[in-house]
Amino acid sequence: MRLQSIPIVLALCVAALPACAAGLRDRLYDPGDGVLVVAHRACHRAAPGHGFDNAVPENSLAALERCVALGVDLVEIDVRRTRDGQLIVMHDAKVDRTTDGKGRVADLTLARIQALRLKDGQGETPPTLEAFLVAARGRILVNIDLKGPYAAEAAAISRRIEATEWVLFKAKARFGAPPLADQAPYQDLAFMPMVAAKAAKTPRDLAGIIVRQASGARQIPAVETVALKGPGFAAVRDAARAARIRVWTNTLAAKGWRGVLDQSGDRQALRNPDRAWGRLIAQGASIVQTNHPAVLLDYLERRGLRGHAPVSIAAAGLPPSS
């Protein structure tokens, strides 16, 4: 899909939300349907090349609207629970960094939090999970990063607003665990297991996690790799290919000296996208989460890796796998 065609597609989606949502879901579940872009904490950075000269608050409705306008495939949001048990969209445990208030989310009521205003947000208040999902309905896939043990509450909200297929839940999977997609509260939701290096002792066992997670009654669309490198990443990738599911990788900025040395993160991608994003795609990733979704979208367009074009490493001129 060319970026210029996005306004037309969005207009069609408004007229037929169920069909549009199904189309978005189908792309997620088809590992051969191009590279998908995930906006970390929504599209909060400026994108001057696309008419967005200023930044907006992370995890905000304004950032959601920017993602839709850009044509991003998935928006990742963080969810926390207030003192009175309501789920809101916020990354930090405290409201201090992102709002004009102070205090821990867990110590504040929803009413108190909604009296606050997001910094540089033109009066926007932190959204509830339900409000965010309703605003996203049928226009973009939503990936929920729960910051506490409230998957059941988030699942109940998704069911109430009929978002079970296009709101993507995730949880860490360990060696020997049964297929999580078949377990409560995920059994009727779109669900993705996460696999980190510490989830198993050997690359073979890491691959075994994918084999087990993909063996359930309910299909999983992808596996999120968490800081997997070398043989561990290769083992998980090969198992995912055999199961025909996508591989999700993150190129978020690492902290400290790791960020300086990282050759696959956002910092490197802005300097040399072929060496960062391109290399990860060449190694088998087909979902990439970034803090710079507009830049990644432009890169994928130039390489012919968007829309319904299959990921062809040689045709795209990407660097070889290592």
Side-chain angles (χ1 to χ4, degrees):
M1 181 188 300
R2 302 298 299 178
L3 293 181
Q4 293 89 336
S5 68
I6 287 170
I8 298 174
V9 174
L10 292 179
L12 294 174
C13 284
V14 172
L17 288 179
C20 190
L24 294 171
R25 183 187 65 241
D26 290 346
R27 289 201 64 209
L28 174 65
Y29 280 82
D30 182 356
D33 191 0
V35 178
L36 304 184
V37 175
V38 186
H40 182 233
R41 304 183 198 174
C43 298
H44 52 93
R45 293 184 182 270
H50 297 268
F52 300 109
D53 295 331
N54 300 314
V56 294
E58 65 183 48
N59 280 320
S60 67
L61 293 178
L64 165 65
E65 293 302 325
R66 183 168 294 185
C67 281
V68 173
L70 288 171
V72 167
D73 302 293
L74 295 99
V75 54
E76 185 264 0
I77 58 173
D78 306 283
V79 174
R80 292 188 178 275
R81 187 166 55 196
T82 65
R83 191 180 76 186
D84 50 347
Q86 303 301 306
L87 298 187
I88 68 163
V89 182
M90 183 167 292
H91 177 270
D92 297 359
K94 294 183 177 181
V95 301
D96 303 37
R97 180 178 65 87
T98 56
T99 78
D100 58 0
K102 293 184 180 298
R104 295 179 59 83
V105 173
D107 296 335
L108 301 173
T109 64
L110 177 62
R112 179 71 187 94
I113 289 175
Q114 294 204 310
L116 305 176
R117 293 296 178 265
L118 294 170
K119 293 179 180 178
D120 301 321
Q122 298 183 338
E124 184 177 339
T125 191
T128 63
L129 174 61
E130 182 167 351
F132 195 100
L133 296 184
V134 169
R137 182 194 304 276
R139 300 191 297 160
I140 192 169
L141 300 171
V142 180
N143 174 236
I144 296 179
D145 187 352
L146 296 167
K147 297 302 182 182
Y150 19 85
E153 294 99 313
I157 291 172
S158 297
R159 294 186 185 100
R160 185 166 68 246
I161 65 172
E162 300 181 348
T164 56
E165 289 296 327
W166 53 270
V167 174
L168 180 62
F169 283 74
K170 61 185 178 184
K172 292 180 179 178
R174 295 193 175 276
F175 183 73
L180 297 177
D182 292 345
Q183 311 300 312
Y186 309 117
Q187 70 275 15
D188 59 345
L189 304 167
F191 174 82
M192 172 180 68
M194 304 165 66
V195 176
K198 294 182 179 180
K201 294 182 178 179
T202 67
R204 180 178 180 180
D205 286 347
L206 286 171
I209 294 175
I210 306 307
V211 173
R212 185 74 187 277
Q213 291 300 312
S215 69
R218 188 166 177 82
Q219 183 184 5
I220 57 175
V223 53
E224 180 176 347
T225 61
V226 183
L228 284 181
K229 297 183 183 297
F233 177 86
V236 168
R237 175 203 62 206
D238 292 347
R241 283 176 174 169
R244 287 198 52 75
I245 62 176
R246 288 180 177 270
V247 174
W248 170 313
T249 191
N250 303 310
T251 63
L252 312 175
K255 296 180 180 179
W257 61 268
R258 289 185 177 87
V260 176
L261 298 177
D262 190 4
Q263 296 299 302
S264 60
D266 276 349
R267 185 177 300 176
Q268 174 67 23
L270 294 179
R271 293 193 298 262
N272 188 336
D274 278 336
R275 189 168 184 178
W277 291 325
R279 181 168 294 177
L280 288 169
I281 294 167
Q283 290 173 342
S286 64
I287 304 179
V288 180
Q289 180 174 209
T290 175
N291 281 308
H292 300 275
V295 182
L296 176 55
L297 283 168
D298 290 342
Y299 171 73
L300 295 175
E301 281 283 330
R302 292 195 304 271
R303 288 299 193 183
L305 295 170
R306 288 289 291 161
H308 297 284
V311 179
S312 174
I313 302 307
L318 296 175
S321 302
S322 60

